[in-house]
Amino acid sequence: MKFYNGRWEKKMGVHVYCPREIYEYEIGRRAFTFIAPDSHIGHKGMTLDGVNLTFRVTVPHSEVFRIQMVHYMGASDKDPHFPLDIQEEDIQVKERPDCFVLDSGEAQLRIYKENFRIELFYAGKRRTVMGEEDFCYIRTEDRGLLYEEFSGPAYMRGATGLGVGECIYGLGEHFGPFVKNGQSIELRNDDGGTSSDVSYKNVPFYISNRAYGVFINHCETVSMEVGSEQVEKTAFSVKGEKLDFFLLPGADMKDVLMKYTDITGKPGKVPDWSFGLWLSTSFLTNYDEETVIDIIDQMQEKDIPLRVFHFDCCWMKPFHWCDFLWDKETFPDPSRLLQALHDRGLNVCVWINPYIAQASELFMEGVREGYFIKRENGDVWQWDKWQAGMAVVDFTNPAAKRWYQNKLAGLLDMGVDCFKTDFGERIPERGVVFFDGSSPEKMHNYYSNLYNEAVYELLRERKGEKDAVLFARSGTAGGQRFPVHWGGDCFATYEAMGESLRGGLSLTLSGYGYWSHDIGGFEDTSTPDVYKRWVAFGLLSTHSRLHGSNSYRVPWLYGEEAVAVLRHFVRVKERLQEYLEEQARECHKTGIPVMRAMVLEFPHDANCWYLDRQYMLGSKYVVAPVFNGESRAEYYLPAGKWTDFFTGEVRTLDNGKWFTETVDYFKIPLFERMEDCI
């Protein structure tokens, strides 16, 4: 959120209070606390009629600093809160004449007494600085009289310095520019497709190519100004009287991600079978048992290996989403059908969401038992967006969670293997009450974690950890514990391919380990040209699914060559299967994503800082999809030795180099990084 008009003037009604000096402090065993007034105190009389900010600094994990800044300590702080792995260390504080120095391993924080500022160091090198105007308590719609009752919104703001050549990444799955510099971003989950500034997955964590990260520990909407208000600052603000954030410096960007996922959770394990090809019925297509069998038969006849078959929404009756009951008109004997698919060596996925339509058999049961989000007057919150009269399951109610899980358990008993957990973004945040009293504003984003966790937890109990997997759309910080996530509703164009990849690279720089997208695009129907290029991109992502909206994504609808291209790239991915399994195990252990931006692997190569049209698949392979109809491949290889996956050609580069070449549909720039790569 922007509070200034230019560098000097504040917006009308905005008053900003910043710490000017440390006035009083206490060094405890686990915390360094101090108060910082908004003016320099020359005598005791100056302690009257002013704003005081209280700071608490701790070491929640080795080489990580947590800063909590409070204006009014009596302000309520309702759930939810991110579940964090906190292992607070004894704090090491040295007092110098001008500052306090806090050390943890190679990380150091210097907090200056006068002309207040905080500097973050790692291995003796300064990573970033936060000046006195970077910590603010802000009142809006305010006449500036502190002794008058204040009713307008108040905010807490923090900011880190943005150096020359510094790039900021992450903040969840955002489809605009990969480097976030210059952007204003509202971290608020919503269902908006992939072609706007709205995002399904917002994560209050950013990472810099200067090898530090910042995790803003707030579930509610966080407003980001990345060099977009003050061009030398990455600023973040939240409503209320408290601000809580973590500073995570590291040896490199990988080290930062490891520390962040130490705190918020490592990406979950995924089944080996999940790396195979997933095929969907698509969203609005007319399909029944005969259609499903025919599609699978044709895939087999065309020698295209298939691993997972997905039933999208219309396995249930329209107006009944979700009642978790098969539409008997189209699927008279679902248990028999699912067994037939298993006999063919397929796993089965079905679509679900956390909304219960009024026509559903479950609706009145949920109303009677109090399983839905309610209005403040006690009525069930309902609306007609998506399904008529739908309500939203309240996962803060343990009984509602068990009820929902029990309905899904019946599907598992029938033969379903996993679930596509769609939606979870349009959660009401005003005028509603959650069972556990959680703040609706905080719950808006966090709901996605509760929803996905409920389903993932059931799968882990019933299938075991090695076979539990979702195909999820919504998420926030910590959501990486419930994989896999896909990019949502994209169009069937090259532009949508590009924006999808930017979203995926941003997400995997936000702690998520795996990422997928709808091959061929979701909305509309692509040209055969786009489809074939998207097939190569999709089969060289961590997870690969053919899925669309109102038309099928089976290859024969795009021509015989499309059939051959799909078969070819499924075989390519099969050759990489063991490698992907190895990378997934490493991802679960360390938090380093399987699909990753070039800058993560080559942080010192300035050419990689802005690369958003290619990526690393694990630690060894560069993948550069073709994003144009001219068969033109454009890609960059950093210094080192690289082997072309398809031809075996070896390229040894003393310096990084750009390449342009023409490739047919059976080729994509895919280069293996050799052991002695620089």
Side-chain angles (χ1 to χ4, degrees):
M1 185 171 181
K2 294 182 178 180
F3 301 100
Y4 289 82
N5 285 321
R7 181 62 182 89
W8 314 114
E9 300 295 331
K10 302 174 186 68
K11 291 179 180 286
M12 183 68 68
V14 170
H15 291 265
V16 178
Y17 304 92
C18 303
R20 300 301 177 185
E21 64 182 19
I22 295 177
Y23 182 75
E24 184 177 292
Y25 66 90
E26 179 182 354
I27 301 174
R29 188 168 72 90
R30 291 289 177 88
F32 173 50
T33 58
F34 58 89
I35 58 174
D38 71 323
S39 62
H40 295 290
I41 305 301
H43 54 80
K44 291 182 179 181
M46 296 178 69
T47 62
L48 304 176
D49 297 333
V51 168
N52 225 356
L53 297 175
T54 301
F55 287 77
R56 184 176 189 269
V57 184
T58 56
V59 180
H61 228 279
S62 180
E63 300 187 337
V64 175
F65 299 106
R66 181 180 189 178
I67 299 177
Q68 294 167 287
M69 181 176 73
V70 181
H71 176 231
Y72 288 153
M73 298 181 73
S76 63
D77 186 18
K78 293 183 179 179
D79 283 336
H81 298 90
F82 294 119
L84 305 178
D85 184 357
I86 300 297
Q87 302 172 8
E88 271 191 5
E89 296 184 350
D90 288 353
I91 199 160
Q92 307 295 324
V93 183
K94 298 176 183 176
E95 184 174 1
R96 296 179 181 174
D98 60 338
C99 69
F100 297 94
V101 179
L102 288 69
D103 288 298
S104 177
E106 294 287 336
Q108 184 181 91
L109 208 62
R110 298 180 188 174
I111 305 175
Y112 288 83
K113 300 176 180 179
E114 298 181 5
N115 300 320
F116 181 79
R117 70 184 187 278
I118 295 178
E119 296 180 343
L120 179 67
F121 290 80
Y122 191 85
K125 294 183 178 180
R126 193 171 77 173
R127 296 294 195 234
T128 192
V129 61
M130 307 179 76
E132 61 182 21
E133 293 188 358
D134 296 333
F135 297 93
C136 306
Y137 168 65
I138 301 173
R139 290 185 171 191
T140 59
E141 304 173 21
D142 183 20
R143 290 188 294 172
L145 302 174
L146 287 174
Y147 53 82
E148 287 195 353
E149 184 69 23
F150 171 68
S151 59
Y155 297 84
M156 299 293 275
R157 175 183 178 270
T160 54
L162 191 58
V164 176
E166 183 175 357
C167 297
I168 300 298
Y169 311 92
L171 298 175
E173 184 187 50
H174 292 275
F175 306 102
F178 170 55
V179 176
K180 300 300 180 277
N181 298 41
Q183 298 182 52
S184 299
I185 301 174
E186 291 291 299
L187 300 182
R188 182 184 184 278
N189 288 4
D190 212 339
D191 175 6
T194 69
S195 55
S196 75
D197 61 352
V198 171
S199 171
Y200 306 102
K201 309 173 193 68
N202 288 273
V203 179
F205 168 77
Y206 62 88
I207 186 169
S208 165
N209 63 344
R210 298 283 175 90
Y212 71 91
V214 177
F215 169 46
I216 302 111
N217 186 26
H218 287 262
C219 297
E220 66 268 35
T221 297
V222 178
S223 296
M224 299 295 308
E225 299 294 341
V226 188
S228 47
E229 181 175 41
Q230 294 171 302
V231 296
E232 76 281 11
K233 304 291 182 184
T234 301
F236 44 92
S237 58
V238 295
K239 276 187 179 180
E241 302 286 331
K242 301 177 182 180
L243 179 64
D244 182 2
F245 65 97
F246 294 66
L247 296 173
L248 305 98
D252 54 24
M253 292 176 70
K254 285 184 179 180
D255 189 29
V256 173
L257 276 181
M258 290 172 68
K259 290 170 179 171
Y260 170 69
T261 53
D262 282 342
I263 293 169
T264 60
K266 300 297 181 185
K269 293 181 179 179
V270 293
D272 294 344
W273 53 260
S274 70
F275 292 115
L277 179 63
W278 298 49
L279 175 61
S280 167
T281 58
S282 293
F283 173 35
L284 295 175
T285 52
N286 291 319
Y287 67 91
D288 55 17
E289 180 175 334
E290 184 179 350
T291 308
V292 170
I293 295 299
D294 180 63
I295 287 173
I296 294 171
D297 283 344
Q298 289 197 61
M299 293 290 283
Q300 186 172 2
E301 290 168 8
K302 297 178 188 301
D303 194 26
I304 301 173
L306 184 62
R307 197 64 185 83
V308 182
F309 192 82
H310 169 68
F311 293 84
D312 217 58
C313 313
C314 292
W315 68 274
M316 293 177 281
K317 290 173 64 176
F319 286 119
H320 289 248
W321 303 339
C322 287
D323 60 8
F324 310 116
L325 299 174
W326 291 80
D327 185 343
K328 291 294 185 179
E329 291 184 12
T330 50
F331 299 102
D333 191 347
S335 295
R336 178 180 52 78
L337 173 60
L338 298 184
Q339 184 59 53
L341 299 188
H342 287 151
D343 291 343
R344 292 169 180 249
L346 298 176
N347 291 85
V348 176
C349 176
V350 299
W351 175 95
I352 61 172
N353 70 27
Y355 311 145
I356 309 297
Q358 189 162 278
S360 165
E361 290 191 11
L362 305 184
F363 182 80
M364 289 311 299
E365 181 182 349
V367 172
R368 286 194 305 271
E369 300 298 330
Y371 292 158
F372 300 138
I373 297 171
K374 294 181 179 179
R375 298 186 184 276
E376 291 174 339
N377 66 1
D379 293 344
V380 170
W381 184 90
Q382 292 178 260
W383 70 343
D384 293 322
K385 183 72 173 175
W386 183 242
Q387 289 280 279
M390 63 168 235
V392 181
V393 177
D394 184 351
F395 288 107
T396 73
N397 181 345
K401 176 182 175 181
R402 288 192 300 270
W403 174 71
Y404 190 85
Q405 289 175 324
N406 288 337
K407 302 303 178 184
L408 299 184
L411 294 168
L412 298 180
D413 292 338
M414 190 178 291
V416 169
D417 296 296
C418 59
F419 298 102
K420 170 183 170 180
T421 50
D422 206 352
F423 290 81
E425 306 93 1
R426 287 179 174 155
I427 306 304
E429 57 188 323
R430 292 180 179 84
V432 294
V433 177
F434 284 85
F435 177 84
D436 71 348
S438 285
S439 159
E441 288 190 350
K442 285 189 173 187
M443 188 57 70
H444 177 82
N445 286 358
Y446 190 70
Y447 183 92
S448 62
N449 281 8
L450 294 182
Y451 164 40
N452 286 311
E453 181 181 38
V455 182
Y456 190 77
E457 181 183 275
L458 171 69
L459 288 168
R460 197 168 48 199
E461 290 173 0
R462 295 292 300 272
K463 298 287 185 179
E465 188 177 23
K466 71 180 185 66
D467 278 322
V469 68
L470 309 176
F471 224 85
R473 191 173 75 173
S474 58
T476 186
Q480 66 269 10
R481 295 174 292 145
F482 321 117
V484 169
H485 293 75
W486 100 98
D489 299 348
C490 52
F491 283 87
T493 63
Y494 279 121
E495 290 76 17
M497 277 180 65
E499 69 202 24
S500 293
L501 178 55
R502 293 193 297 271
L505 295 181
S506 292
L507 186 68
T508 57
L509 281 176
S510 305
Y512 283 64
Y514 318 93
W515 177 78
S516 188
H517 45 98
D518 291 340
I519 296 174
F522 177 75
E523 299 287 357
D524 300 332
T525 300
S526 74
T527 64
D529 171 62
V530 169
Y531 180 85
K532 287 178 281 191
R533 292 302 184 192
W534 209 319
V535 160
F537 171 33
L539 268 298
L540 287 169
S541 301
T542 67
H543 289 77
S544 310
R545 184 182 68 159
L546 294 162
H547 178 68
S549 179
N550 54 12
S551 61
Y552 297 107
R553 294 295 180 259
V554 291
W556 48 88
L557 298 181
Y558 300 85
E560 283 304 309
E561 188 177 45
V563 173
V565 169
L566 180 61
R567 181 192 307 118
H568 171 70
F569 279 101
V570 173
R571 297 295 186 194
V572 167
K573 193 168 190 183
E574 285 183 334
R575 290 169 60 185
L576 296 172
Q577 176 77 21
E578 289 187 12
Y579 168 74
L580 289 171
E581 293 171 9
E582 172 193 324
Q583 294 293 304
R585 288 191 294 271
E586 191 67 16
C587 173
H588 176 65
K589 177 182 176 182
T590 65
I592 306 303
V594 178
M595 191 170 175
R596 62 189 72 161
M598 295 292 293
V599 66
L600 189 62
E601 205 65 40
F602 302 97
H604 302 298
D605 186 337
N607 285 288
C608 293
W609 295 351
Y610 292 87
L611 284 182
D612 60 7
R613 288 178 291 154
Q614 63 184 71
Y615 54 92
M616 296 293 295
L617 188 60
S619 59
K620 291 174 62 174
Y621 288 96
V622 165
V623 182
V626 175
F627 291 104
N628 60 79
E630 290 79 49
S631 301
R632 185 178 67 256
E634 300 170 323
Y635 58 96
Y636 175 79
L637 293 179
K641 184 183 288 186
W642 300 89
T643 299
D644 188 310
F645 180 87
F646 295 103
T647 67
E649 173 196 357
V650 177
R651 299 182 186 179
T652 303
L653 306 174
D654 293 330
N655 298 292
K657 184 178 179 180
W658 282 92
F659 295 87
T660 301
E661 59 187 61
T662 300
V663 296
D664 63 25
Y665 291 115
F666 297 88
K667 180 81 159 53
I668 184 174
L670 176 60
F671 288 87
E672 182 179 2
R673 181 185 185 187
M674 308 307 289
E675 291 297 328
D676 59 350
C677 187
I678 297 173

